[in-house]
């Protein structure tokens, strides 16, 4: 993902709250400190379909916003 970002492609990382600091640190370590982070509620693992749909419902507006910002 970092390489794609470095090449100018729109990329983002989806992570849950407890992994936000890790995501920011890893983005910095891999040379893309401006990597957008899409934050969803924790946990994601072990959820049923309804829980996954709920997380997707949280992520979708953030992804749409990121795309709109990038296309301007």
């Amino acid at each position: 993902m970092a390489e794609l970002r470095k090449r100018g492609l729109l990329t983002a990382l989806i992570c849950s709250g407890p992994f936000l600091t890790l995501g920011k640190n890893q983005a910095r370590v891999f040379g893309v400190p401006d990597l957008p982070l899409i934050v969803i509620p924790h946990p994601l693992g072990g959820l049923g379909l309804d829980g996954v749909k709920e997380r997707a419902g949280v992520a979708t507006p953030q992804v749409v916003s990121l795309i709109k910002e990038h296309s301007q």
Side-chain angles (χ1 to χ4, degrees):
M1 184 180 326
E3 291 303 316
L4 294 174
R5 180 75 175 179
K6 290 176 184 177
R7 293 178 186 180
L9 295 173
L10 180 59
T11 57
L13 173 69
I14 299 176
C15 63
S16 62
F19 294 98
L20 187 56
T21 300
L22 177 61
K24 289 178 182 180
N25 288 336
Q26 289 295 306
R28 183 180 42 78
V29 166
F30 285 105
V32 287
D34 62 339
L35 181 70
L37 301 176
I38 306 296
V39 182
I40 61 172
H42 189 77
L44 179 59
L47 292 178
L49 185 56
D50 288 339
V52 173
K53 286 180 180 180
E54 179 184 324
R55 300 314 188 269
V58 171
T60 300
Q62 295 176 72
V63 172
V64 169
S65 177
L66 180 62
I67 292 169
K68 285 181 178 180
E69 288 173 18
H70 190 266
S71 64
Q72 294 179 0

